[in-house]
Amino acid sequence: MKFVSYLINTRLLRVGWRAARGAVFQHPLLRASLLAGCALFLCGGWPLWKWVSALSVGRPDFVSAQAWDEAEAICRRNRGGTVQDSDILMTLARQSGRRGDLQHAFACYEWIAPSDKRHGLQALFEHAVLLLDNNFAQRAERGFLTLLQRHEQGERLSGRQLSIARRSLSLLYGLQMRIAERAGILQQLISNRHADVYDAKYYYFPSLMIWQNAWGAERVAAFLRCDPENRHLLAAAARYRLGEGQPALAQQQLLDLYQQERSNPDLTAWLLESCFELDDWSTFERIHQQLPPRQSSEPLLLTQMRGAWCLHKNQWLDAEVVFQELLDRDAANSQATMGLARAFDQSGRHDQRDQYLQRAAIIAELRVGLTAAHPGQTDALRKVAGWCRELQMTAAAETFEFFAAAGAGSPASREFGLPQ
């Protein structure tokens, strides 16, 4: 019965179509309308359909059809299986990066959806690395931070990706002298047993490490050429002027930035530092009066400058409080140690003064000894650990004792827990 019904319905449809076709072509107005509709489809509908088709295969408009097809062919040869849009985009991004077409490479990486299961995280990673290699500091920082955030949310990065992301952020923050943010990254490296000797130095002795170096200044200048309005970079470049022996220029540049952004604690600390170097106490006082109440999370240098102001004003008890708080956060801070010694001396507490002078002597030895404490230098590492014990820096002492026991080899081979 179903088959008979199918034949009847099919026949009725065929008869109906013949009748309708005859009616259309016998009526001049209907015939003209049909022909016009076909012409409109060919002129406008067909290109529209082609455009929609291009979108459906994921080809962005900045990639030619020929380049897309060639990249797809490469993917098919290499993968041997199903090729996805993200495979083609990754191929195009890498090709563009190798030939120096950075904008095209960046565009291809950004076209890949971060949620893409095959290449989402890898595209974010390669994009951030390429940005940093070409001095796009701010965009690279955002990329690496996004990677770490997604890792914390359960999308696991490989060990290599995780290490490079953290070390790249440590480098970026270190070059810009953003000590607190760098400390957070270094703490992650140490907690995850991926730190090396150099990471430990910067983590445990932030005020003893040299920041005023030509390489850092040159790299920040290169970052600024790609991002000339970045406030972090502008402030860091100004502080490098201070390290290069140009305190007046540094002060003026920092003061100009401070007028625009008074809430930046690092910038404020560097401006006060320039005033201190110039013995410009009038400007120092004007900035100091605008400071918010002291906080345990503020930059170490800002707390140090508060203590310097107390000493300048002969406020010995206040200086004692400020410098003791600074030592609680940075046990090897030589300025805080000498500041306390001076405060105790002026208060007539000579036994405590001598105690801190002795501590200052240990810190001076430590500062010199750190320059020789390289991976594989067992004796130098043990000396650093010994000075840390004398300063009651137990965690630092244990870390450097570990590195001393690890023996010789490359820096990477002595990372916590990593095989050689």
Side-chain angles (χ1 to χ4, degrees):
M1 289 297 294
K2 289 183 179 179
F3 181 70
V4 173
S5 175
Y6 169 78
L7 289 177
I8 293 171
N9 290 334
T10 302
R11 180 175 179 79
L12 288 173
L13 286 171
R14 192 179 300 121
V15 171
W17 164 248
R18 281 201 298 267
R21 183 181 59 186
V24 168
F25 283 98
Q26 287 174 8
H27 197 291
L29 181 59
L30 290 175
R31 185 169 60 249
S33 299
L34 181 61
L35 292 174
C38 292
L40 284 172
F41 175 78
L42 291 173
C43 294
W46 176 254
L48 177 63
W49 182 84
K50 289 292 290 181
W51 178 76
V52 171
S53 298
L55 287 181
S56 69
V57 298
R59 178 170 68 83
D61 57 6
F62 56 81
V63 177
S64 69
Q66 180 181 353
W68 184 269
D69 292 342
E70 291 173 354
E72 183 177 8
I74 292 172
C75 292
R76 293 193 184 283
R77 287 198 302 270
N78 293 338
R79 297 191 66 88
T82 303
V83 174
Q84 296 182 4
D85 299 337
S86 58
D87 297 320
I88 301 171
L89 286 164
M90 286 291 285
T91 299
L92 289 166
R94 290 164 178 168
Q95 288 176 339
S96 299
R98 284 193 293 269
R99 65 173 179 262
D101 186 355
L102 297 179
Q103 297 309 313
H104 195 268
F106 296 157
C108 288
Y109 281 127
E110 291 166 359
W111 197 264
I112 298 171
S115 59
D116 184 90
K117 294 188 180 299
R118 183 174 288 187
H119 292 298
L121 284 177
Q122 183 66 21
L124 278 172
F125 173 75
E126 291 185 17
H127 188 200
V129 170
L130 188 62
L131 285 164
L132 180 56
D133 286 346
N134 290 278
N135 297 321
F136 292 89
Q138 186 176 29
R139 292 168 65 188
E141 178 185 341
R142 286 199 300 265
F144 289 124
L145 286 174
T146 299
L147 283 166
L148 293 184
Q149 181 181 26
R150 291 183 61 174
H151 178 77
E152 292 169 1
Q153 292 171 348
E155 299 180 69
R156 293 300 174 187
L157 300 176
S158 69
R160 174 179 171 273
Q161 290 173 328
L162 194 57
S163 178
I164 290 175
R166 285 174 173 159
R167 292 185 182 284
S168 297
L169 283 170
S170 175
L171 173 66
L172 283 166
Y173 293 147
L175 288 169
Q176 298 172 67
M177 295 168 284
R178 293 158 63 181
I179 304 302
E181 289 161 292
R182 188 183 204 186
I185 296 296
L186 293 173
Q187 198 277 330
Q188 290 179 10
L189 287 168
I190 290 172
S191 296
N192 288 278
R193 305 180 68 81
H194 290 161
D196 61 21
V197 170
Y198 306 108
D199 298 324
K201 285 184 185 183
Y202 281 105
Y203 180 69
Y204 289 113
F205 315 112
S207 60
L208 296 184
M209 305 305 293
I210 297 172
W211 58 265
Q212 63 269 38
N213 61 83
W215 181 79
E218 291 169 0
R219 195 69 192 272
V220 167
F223 291 161
L224 271 171
R225 285 193 288 272
C226 296
D227 191 8
E229 302 300 321
N230 187 295
R231 297 276 180 85
H232 284 301
L233 295 173
L234 288 168
R239 194 189 186 201
Y240 278 118
R241 302 290 85 76
L242 184 65
E244 293 167 354
Q246 304 177 67
L249 176 59
Q251 184 192 51
Q252 186 57 58
Q253 292 177 344
L254 290 167
L255 193 56
D256 291 343
L257 291 167
Y258 176 77
Q259 301 301 333
Q260 305 170 41
E261 188 182 10
R262 301 191 178 199
S263 60
N264 185 327
D266 282 319
L267 172 59
T268 305
W270 299 341
L271 175 56
L272 289 171
E273 180 188 38
S274 70
C275 296
F276 179 82
E277 292 293 327
L278 288 166
D279 205 26
D280 181 3
W281 291 106
S282 61
T283 305
F284 193 112
E285 182 175 17
R286 179 159 51 87
I287 304 303
H288 186 272
Q289 289 175 343
Q290 300 174 37
L291 291 178
R294 191 168 64 254
Q295 298 180 1
S296 61
S297 59
E298 71 182 22
L300 296 170
L301 181 61
L302 183 55
T303 305
Q304 181 182 319
M305 289 297 103
R306 293 181 193 269
W309 177 250
C310 293
L311 293 179
H312 177 70
K313 300 295 289 183
N314 299 329
Q315 298 168 348
W316 312 121
L317 293 179
D318 290 341
E320 179 183 341
V321 172
V322 172
F323 284 129
Q324 189 57 65
E325 286 184 7
L326 182 53
L327 275 183
D328 290 342
R329 298 173 57 204
D330 180 15
N333 192 295
S334 60
Q335 298 299 319
T337 304
M338 290 302 298
L340 275 170
R342 181 181 171 190
F344 288 136
D345 181 67
Q346 294 296 321
S347 301
R349 298 154 68 183
H350 300 305
D351 289 343
Q352 289 172 289
R353 174 203 62 189
D354 293 343
Q355 176 186 344
Y356 279 90
L357 287 175
Q358 182 180 2
R359 184 182 184 92
I362 296 170
I363 293 173
E365 289 185 298
L366 172 61
R367 184 195 295 274
V368 175
L370 283 171
T371 62
H374 299 301
Q377 301 297 317
T378 304
D379 290 341
L381 292 167
R382 285 179 177 155
K383 285 181 180 179
V384 169
W387 289 315
C388 291
R389 292 283 181 194
E390 292 186 71
L391 297 172
Q392 295 84 47
M393 299 177 67
T394 304
E398 291 174 349
T399 298
F400 282 90
E401 285 166 355
F402 173 88
F403 287 128
S410 67
S413 71
R414 280 179 312 287
E415 292 179 351
F416 283 102
L418 293 185
Q420 296 192 24

